[in-house]
Amino acid sequence: MIIIFALFLLSLLVITALAIVQTKNLFVAVMLTSIFSLLMAANFFILDAADVALTEAAVGAGITTVIFLSALALTTEREKAVQSAQRLTLVVVAVLATLIIYATFDKPRLGDPEAPVHQHLAPWYLEKTPEYMDFPNVVTAVLGSFRGYDTLGEVFVVFAACIGVLFILGVKPPGDRHYDPHASGLRHHLIPQVVGRLLIPFIVLFGLYVQFHGEYGPGGGFQAGALIASGVILYALLEGETAALRAVPRYVLMGLVIGGASLYGAVGLVCILLGGNFLEYSVLSSNPVSGQQLGILLIEAGVGMAVCGALLSIFHAFAARPMRV
Amino acid sequence: MDLTPHLPVLQVVVPLLSSPLLLLLRPRGLAWAGAAAVALLSFAIALNMALAVAAGIQFSYAVGGWEPPYGIALSVDAFSALILLIVTGAGAIAILAGKPSVDREIDAERQPLFYSAWILAMAGLTGIALSADAFNIFVFMEISSLASYVLIAGGPDRRALPAVFKYLIMGTIGATFYLIGVGLVYMMTGTLNLADMEARIGGVTDINPLLVAAGFITIGLALKAAVFPLHVWLPNAYTHAPHMITVFLAACATKVAIYVLLRFDFFVFQANLDRHDVQFSLFLMPLALLGILVASAVAMFEGHIKRLLAMSSVAQIGYIMLGASFITEAGLTASALHMFNHALAKGGLFLAIAGLACHYGDLRLARLAGAARSMPWTAAALVVCGFSLVGIPGTAGFVSKWLLLDAALDEGRFAAVLVGVILVSSLMALAYVWRIVETLYFKPAAQDVATPTGEAPLPLLLAAWLAAIANIGFGLFPQFPLELCSAAAELLLGHTL
Amino acid sequence: MNLLELLGYFNYWVFAIVLTVGLYTVIAKINLVKKLIGLSIFQSAVFLMYITMDKVEGGTAPIIQKGMENQVFSNPLPQVLILTAIVVGVSTLALGLAIVVRIFEAYGTIEEDEILDAD
């Protein structure tokens, strides 16, 4: 039954993708992209990837859409209708598709437990996580400890995007733009106000839950950071930019970003000082298992802080920019 | 506490963790000082490791204490040591010497962000060079790419923005192709560690996905390395970027992508896929030859000095790929040495140009006429580095071109064609370098261009001369880089047996 | 061919189609925001390919509940890789959009051919 549903979702995915290419209205394209992300998230869930589904929904469907819409508000909504015939691209791309489909016929069949992918590394991770770390979520164990260096890199990718957006949008726009510092958001609309006010505390609470329960269920720093950022963004949309910046000022956001990234690195360096390798959490405590748990807790906190601060900084950089009236 | 075993990870962690802290250095000039200190420290670490590697020590490091393939491993061998030297050296010199140029182009308020991004780019590039895990390379590749996009977009020239957008699109497509390739290899072997892949790939029965994977990885990395014909993002990006960023990127960015390409290909694919070496040569050699000829030809007619040298870079990348496509020890040594020498030559050239740019606003060749009369030392440094680019005997460029010719002569039937292309393109290089020399020295100054009041600022002048002297020094005494490069070539080939 | 196998093939075909749709959008469209949307679709397709690899027949999400014996789990490693890749994708997108906003302010348009003509 679930497989029929999965096939249906995949077909919807293709239809949405084609619709996105076709449409000339960029606003519609962004909304369809959001739907596309949600369908992807559902698909991931069916394929047993719970953490990834949560991240795709929070980051892909949520934050990406907000950033796209902010950018559209600052530029323009319509795509130019005139298109020259793109025959060559179509041919190249069709050849590529055929090549990939041809290669799929040799791939291991879906779900085959004997496939090379499921030997070697995966059983080791599944076996050793209870032994070394003693908590249920294997994905968090791999993300936080076994491949913690990758996650460090990931935090710094987010950091790079944050400083990049601040740097690029740090230049004042040309003079014919106007910014209303007293813009009141959606305050004049009653229903979003009421519903939003109810939702925001729960969103933030859920974000904190996801942060601290990342070891026991799907969740972790990235999802939590994105969720809490969404809560604050919702507040900004409802009450206006200035109110949001008063609630969570820019220097707090910068502090979160710098603090979060540095916390992660500091944990790694402390491990060196205590005699282990970089990011070897076992040395953090007399009991290696609690050392691992402590290490992962700290770095996930660092990740959550950094992601939340970075996403909010990026949002404010777009939202507070003067637009052409 | 002995930090020596931790050097590989410190090489990455020192710049990586300093980058957020640089943001806190708001007061004028402090961000520059912090960045310079970090860059020098990174260079010291790289030099330390390179000397150790030259003495025969190999570093390997298991991050998190988990042994590979369960955890991520770092490894330093001759090839990575070479790349680390190039990246950290270029970064250190560019940051130290570049303050006058950066102060002119980036406003003081944004400078902490700028230097933070620069150090982050350095961290990303060193992370790629050290990593022995395919996915980890992807992560650090994206760190360095994102930081580079930020840096290129920094200057006052608005044409940098469409240029960096094109670079972003092509770079992300390249990284995603690389990701697809890694995914396919992972699907067939079950591991992400390069050494482990090498061991397990022999046991794979269906090789079609692996061939497709090799294709995707090659094209993805070729996009990042600006191999002809995927080089279209490079000229505009280099031309309109802030001048010191051009120095840094021209010296090291594409070379790291070539490093990953060669490592992946020689370590993982060549050994284990039948006839893959033939496919590699057949595919890359013609592209390299075309790249060398077309790029050199376009450079001869370019009007803007930075774009001229950017096209020249595409040609030089062609030389590097040509040497690699021979798949002989001579070819690979020439290729690796050319990476080093090109970094020296182009770095020096762009340093001198940054010096010229401090007085001349417009860098089109016609407007730079007669510059040598007002800025003799800067122009002289430019000329020396230019000669190294061409390969005049006595300069570093000559050594690598000679090795390349030597390797080409071993290629049997194709030797004549290859030698011909190398000689013709060297003549073309002479032509465009001569154009620059002629304009700077022998043409009367343009009417409406203000005469500069003096030489380039001292730090830039000293750096340009340091590069010029290094070009001559390594031309007359190439032992150290040559040793590293032949060790690197041996390493790459050793895995095909 | 059982249903799971059909799903497997279907997954890969959808991956190939969405990949090429995304790539076509990036290359062929001249509106900069459309290109970025295409890039995002292109990257999502790659995520689908990786996650398709992780399913084991009869398996469940890799969260080991205490006290349950002999559970079959799906592979945790592709999930970790894709978590990272999603974040990388969103970061690239944010940076790309910031550049597009600046281009619009500098050139007054976000259609590539008009920008090329302006310089």
Side-chain angles (χ1 to χ4, degrees):
Chain A
M1 189 55 224
I2 198 117
I3 294 186
I4 310 284
F5 188 58
L7 290 171
F8 170 64
L9 276 181
L10 287 169
S11 324
L12 272 184
L13 214 60
V14 176
I15 296 174
T16 317
L18 290 169
I20 294 176
V21 183
Q22 273 305 104
T23 178
K24 293 280 172 269
N25 184 330
L26 290 173
F27 180 71
V28 170
V30 170
M31 286 293 110
L32 285 173
T33 311
S34 173
I35 294 176
F36 183 86
S37 288
L38 267 174
L39 289 171
M40 268 295 187
N43 244 308
F44 289 157
F45 190 68
I46 292 179
L47 290 169
D48 293 341
D51 278 81
V52 185
L54 186 53
T55 312
E56 175 72 26
V59 171
I63 302 287
T64 311
T65 313
V66 170
I67 299 182
F68 259 121
L69 290 176
S70 320
L72 275 186
L74 289 167
T75 55
T76 171
E77 229 175 63
R78 287 242 127 226
E79 184 183 356
K80 212 163 71 166
V82 173
Q83 286 287 345
S84 55
Q86 303 284 354
R87 299 271 157 71
L88 180 60
T89 320
L90 218 47
V91 165
V92 166
V93 147
V95 164
L96 189 65
T98 330
L99 208 67
I100 301 176
I101 294 183
Y102 164 69
T104 68
F105 287 119
D106 277 333
K107 291 199 181 110
R109 64 175 185 81
L110 177 68
D112 179 6
E114 299 300 317
V117 194
H118 302 302
Q119 319 304 323
H120 194 39
L121 291 179
W124 192 90
Y125 288 139
L126 289 167
E127 188 189 315
K128 297 295 178 184
T129 305
E131 185 184 318
Y132 285 126
M133 282 150 222
D134 200 25
F135 58 68
N137 191 348
V138 183
V139 174
T140 304
V142 177
L143 188 74
S145 180
F146 294 120
R147 293 189 69 97
Y149 188 50
D150 263 350
T151 312
L152 178 68
E154 189 182 347
V155 170
F156 277 90
V157 169
V158 175
F159 175 73
C162 174
I163 60 173
V165 171
L166 289 177
F167 181 71
I168 292 177
L169 292 181
V171 170
K172 296 218 178 330
D176 64 340
R177 273 150 175 78
H178 155 83
Y179 176 58
D180 177 9
H182 301 293
S184 59
L186 292 172
R187 225 194 255 138
H188 301 298
H189 300 268
L190 190 58
I191 295 181
Q193 275 277 303
V194 171
V195 177
R197 288 236 177 113
L198 280 177
L199 278 181
I200 292 175
F202 284 107
I203 294 178
V204 175
L205 192 62
F206 184 59
L208 287 172
Y209 168 79
V210 164
Q211 166 83 53
F212 292 113
H213 279 253
E215 300 169 358
Y216 298 92
F222 293 103
Q223 298 92 326
L227 283 169
I228 298 179
S230 312
V232 180
I233 291 178
L234 182 57
Y235 183 72
L237 290 174
L238 290 177
E239 298 288 330
E241 254 298 287
T242 332
L245 278 174
R246 239 178 317 153
V248 188
R250 281 215 171 89
Y251 69 83
V252 169
L253 295 176
M254 266 288 108
L256 280 176
V257 173
I258 300 178
S262 309
L263 175 60
Y264 201 134
V267 169
L269 287 176
V270 164
C271 294
I272 291 188
L273 289 175
L274 288 176
N277 271 354
F278 186 67
L279 293 178
E280 188 175 354
Y281 310 132
S282 318
V283 302
L284 285 176
S285 145
S286 48
N287 174 0
V289 173
S290 36
Q292 288 286 338
Q293 292 182 346
L294 179 64
I296 294 183
L297 189 72
L298 285 173
I299 61 140
E300 287 278 15
V303 168
M305 284 163 62
V307 169
C308 180
L311 290 177
L312 280 174
S313 299
I314 293 176
F315 169 72
H316 283 306
F318 278 103
R321 196 162 183 74
M323 26 179 151
R324 196 150 64 167
V325 175
Chain B
M1 214 199 118
D2 182 21
L3 285 173
T4 323
H6 296 290
L7 276 183
V9 87
L10 284 177
Q11 173 84 88
V12 180
V13 165
V14 164
L16 196 66
L17 293 183
S18 317
S19 146
L21 297 175
L22 280 174
L23 287 180
L24 297 169
L25 297 174
R26 298 250 140 210
R28 258 187 166 279
L30 214 52
W32 168 80
V38 172
L40 277 174
L41 187 55
S42 308
F43 182 60
I45 298 178
L47 196 56
N48 202 324
M49 285 202 289
L51 291 172
V53 166
I57 310 178
Q58 285 228 2
F59 290 87
S60 86
Y61 194 85
V63 181
W66 307 111
E67 289 303 317
Y70 306 113
I72 297 175
L74 304 176
S75 85
V76 184
D77 52 35
F79 202 13
S80 13
L82 184 72
I83 299 288
L84 286 173
L85 274 180
I86 297 177
V87 170
T88 51
I93 294 186
I95 296 181
L96 264 175
K99 188 169 194 298
S101 180
V102 171
D103 279 342
R104 277 178 174 75
E105 292 194 286
I106 315 281
D107 45 311
E109 240 179 62
R110 295 193 305 157
Q111 277 194 9
L113 289 165
F114 184 72
Y115 282 114
S116 178
W118 201 340
I119 294 292
L120 196 59
M122 249 179 70
L125 290 169
T126 52
I128 299 175
L130 284 166
S131 182
D133 180 286
F135 190 75
N136 195 237
I137 291 179
F138 168 73
V139 175
F140 277 94
M141 196 154 63
E142 286 305 273
I143 292 182
S144 65
S145 298
L146 283 182
S148 311
Y149 305 148
V150 175
L151 293 170
I152 295 177
D157 190 347
R158 78 170 186 174
R159 288 166 299 182
L161 294 167
V164 81
F165 188 78
K166 191 179 208 104
Y167 182 20
L168 187 144
I169 296 283
M170 291 182 77
T172 311
I173 295 179
T176 313
F177 272 7
Y178 174 78
L179 193 62
I180 297 177
V182 168
L184 287 171
V185 177
Y186 171 63
M187 184 188 288
M188 305 311 292
T189 59
T191 177
L192 290 168
N193 181 285
L194 288 178
D196 204 31
M197 266 184 206
E198 202 186 333
R200 294 168 76 87
I201 211 168
V204 175
T205 41
D206 302 314
I207 63 163
N208 277 333
L210 283 178
L211 291 173
V212 174
F216 271 117
I217 292 180
T218 309
I219 297 189
L221 291 171
L223 268 167
K224 291 255 178 206
V227 173
F228 184 89
L230 300 168
H231 67 286
V232 284
W233 57 266
L234 194 141
N236 279 335
Y238 280 15
T239 309
H240 302 298
H243 306 300
M244 295 318 293
I245 296 303
T246 316
V247 173
F248 179 62
L249 290 178
C252 61
T254 51
K255 300 183 181 52
V256 180
I258 299 178
Y259 160 83
V260 181
L261 180 60
L262 292 180
R263 209 185 184 87
F264 225 112
D265 218 89
F266 281 84
F267 276 44
V268 179
F269 291 129
Q270 298 240 356
N272 303 295
L273 292 183
D274 233 17
R275 299 181 53 72
H276 182 76
D277 48 356
V278 178
Q279 295 166 352
F280 187 72
S281 293
L282 230 52
F283 181 62
L284 281 176
M285 212 189 286
L287 284 180
L289 291 171
L290 269 176
I292 296 172
L293 288 172
V294 171
S296 304
V298 173
M300 284 200 298
F301 297 105
E302 266 297 342
H304 189 292
I305 195 172
K306 280 180 88 176
R307 190 174 284 117
L308 190 156
L309 291 174
M311 288 312 294
S312 160
S313 283
V314 177
Q316 307 297 317
I317 292 168
Y319 285 131
I320 298 174
M321 294 311 296
L322 189 64
S325 65
F326 293 157
I327 315 198
T328 59
E329 182 161 340
L332 285 167
T333 311
S335 186
L337 194 62
H338 202 66
M339 284 197 217
F340 184 75
N341 292 339
H342 177 235
L344 276 178
K346 261 310 153 45
L349 278 167
F350 279 116
L351 276 169
I353 290 181
L356 285 176
C358 286
H359 290 293
Y360 286 93
D362 189 346
L363 287 178
R364 277 176 295 168
L365 217 46
R367 323 287 282 164
L368 289 172
R373 279 186 282 278
S374 359
M375 305 174 74
W377 286 97
T378 318
L382 208 150
V383 170
V384 173
C385 294
F387 283 165
S388 181
L389 193 67
V390 175
I392 306 278
T395 61
F398 174 68
V399 181
S400 45
K401 276 241 173 105
W402 182 253
L403 282 176
L404 194 63
L405 274 172
D406 204 29
L409 284 171
D410 287 332
E411 283 297 302
R413 291 172 292 149
F414 294 123
V417 174
L418 296 169
V419 172
V421 167
I422 298 177
L423 288 174
V424 166
S425 55
S426 301
L427 282 174
M428 290 202 269
L430 190 61
Y432 58 70
V433 171
W434 180 248
R435 261 186 80 207
I436 301 178
V437 172
E438 197 192 349
T439 317
L440 292 179
Y441 279 91
F442 301 124
K443 289 233 168 82
Q447 298 294 4
D448 47 344
V449 176
T451 320
T453 46
E455 271 291 358
L458 195 59
L460 275 175
L461 195 55
L462 284 176
W465 268 101
L466 184 63
I469 295 176
N471 269 298
I472 301 186
F474 283 116
L476 299 174
F477 307 107
Q479 284 83 1
F480 180 60
L482 201 51
E483 219 176 279
L484 267 182
C485 296
S486 22
E490 249 176 68
L491 199 68
L492 284 172
L493 281 177
H495 284 256
T496 64
L497 294 173
Chain C
M1 171 170 23
N2 70 0
L3 223 43
L4 196 61
E5 225 174 290
L6 173 65
L7 180 63
Y9 280 128
F10 205 62
N11 255 315
Y12 288 126
W13 293 340
V14 167
F15 152 64
I17 297 175
V18 176
L19 190 85
T20 45
V21 166
L23 198 56
Y24 174 74
T25 315
V26 176
I27 301 178
K29 296 286 173 187
I30 56 175
N31 183 301
L32 299 182
V33 174
K34 209 55 174 314
K35 277 182 187 285
L36 283 175
I37 294 178
L39 199 64
S40 147
I41 297 177
F42 172 60
Q43 290 181 311
S44 297
V46 179
F47 305 158
L48 186 62
M49 176 190 102
Y50 268 78
I51 299 292
T52 309
M53 269 196 269
D54 94 348
K55 175 118 183 97
V56 173
E57 192 162 354
T60 164
I63 300 178
I64 304 175
Q65 311 288 3
K66 278 211 168 77
M68 297 187 73
E69 299 296 328
N70 289 332
Q71 273 213 310
V72 179
F73 293 108
S74 289
N75 194 337
L77 191 57
Q79 301 185 25
V80 173
L81 304 178
I82 294 305
L83 270 175
T84 308
I86 291 178
V87 175
V88 169
V90 115
S91 306
T92 313
L93 198 67
L95 210 53
L97 283 170
I99 297 174
V100 169
V101 166
R102 278 286 300 279
I103 290 182
F104 185 72
E105 286 170 1
Y107 287 90
T109 169
I110 51 173
E111 305 284 341
E112 202 175 24
D113 49 355
E114 292 174 16
I115 296 170
L116 285 172
D117 287 337
D119 277 329

